[in-house]
Amino acid sequence: MARQTSVLTMMGLIFKESRLEKNITQSSIAKHIGMTSAGWGKLENGKASLSVENMMLVCSFLEIPPTQLFSSIEILTKDLENEGWDVHINRIDNDGLLIGKELGALSEVATSSVTVAGSTIITGGAALAAGSLSGAAASAAGLTVAGSTLSGAAASSASLAALGGGSLAAGGGSIGMLVRKIASAYVWGEKLLSK
């Protein structure tokens, strides 16, 4: 797994984070800028880009000053590069943040244990110490792991951040926390799959 992402993905995740914080639906923001909800979804997932005009409309709608957006992207880029990530300008295949987003979704499941091969190895959202990964997370990573399952919450958000290590989990202000969390999830997946 290569640690790589794009500026488009970071921008989409920043917009998503702000939209969710303000309880704005994808359809309402898409309508505001003249897009479909599906088109907006592609943008949030780093699979589409915005014209400068539409980017300014989104910034205005979400009350994000454009200078703050670009400053946040610059800070996140430096943070990621310091953690060994390659950050590209254009959309890329095998985007680590998009893979990390799928892995991070596992941490959001509202259960309290992880079961591997029929045995509960984690309770109360503790950090995953060992085991194999299959299902959605393996698919997101492009891997097939036979014989083991991962069910329930893999880790709480705090545990996931601890597993990810480095400064990504703890750094920065409110904008970009989703990017940091997803990057930590990707690193968590790397560590898990390397065992």
Side-chain angles (χ1 to χ4, degrees):
M1 293 176 25
R3 291 184 187 183
Q4 62 178 0
T5 192
S6 74
V7 169
L8 290 176
T9 300
M10 287 190 289
M11 184 180 299
L13 291 170
I14 288 169
F15 285 151
K16 178 178 183 170
E17 179 178 36
S18 181
R19 177 183 65 77
L20 292 173
E21 285 175 358
K22 293 173 173 54
N23 294 315
I24 297 171
T25 64
Q26 283 185 333
S27 60
S28 65
I29 196 167
K31 183 178 178 182
H32 181 75
I33 62 170
M35 283 181 110
T36 64
S37 293
W40 180 259
K42 287 181 181 179
L43 176 87
E44 285 187 356
N45 288 309
K47 297 179 180 177
S49 59
L50 285 173
S51 67
V52 172
E53 178 183 359
N54 282 345
M55 182 188 59
M56 297 300 285
L57 286 170
V58 171
C59 284
S60 174
F61 190 74
L62 294 174
E63 300 173 342
I64 301 173
T67 54
Q68 184 180 8
L69 173 68
F70 288 114
S71 176
S72 295
I73 290 171
E74 182 179 3
I75 291 167
L76 289 168
T77 297
K78 288 178 183 176
D79 287 350
L80 289 170
E81 287 173 343
N82 287 338
E83 295 289 329
W85 288 70
D86 291 325
V87 179
H88 304 270
I89 303 277
N90 298 319
R91 186 180 71 81
I92 59 169
D93 293 328
N94 300 317
D95 189 311
L97 287 180
L98 298 180
I99 294 168
K101 184 176 166 191
E102 296 297 319
L103 294 170
L106 293 172
S107 73
E108 299 301 323
V109 178
T111 60
S112 63
S113 65
V114 174
T115 304
V116 176
S119 300
T120 301
I121 61 169
I122 296 172
T123 59
L128 183 59
S132 297
L133 183 65
S134 64
S139 297
L143 302 169
T144 302
V145 180
S148 297
T149 60
L150 175 65
S151 65
S156 67
S157 296
S159 298
L160 188 61
L163 274 172
S167 61
L168 290 175
S174 63
I175 289 186
M177 289 308 296
L178 182 60
V179 172
R180 288 176 172 86
K181 179 180 174 184
I182 291 172
S184 292
Y186 182 85
V187 173
W188 168 78
E190 269 185 337
K191 290 178 181 182
L192 181 66
L193 294 172
S194 69
K195 293 194 181 261

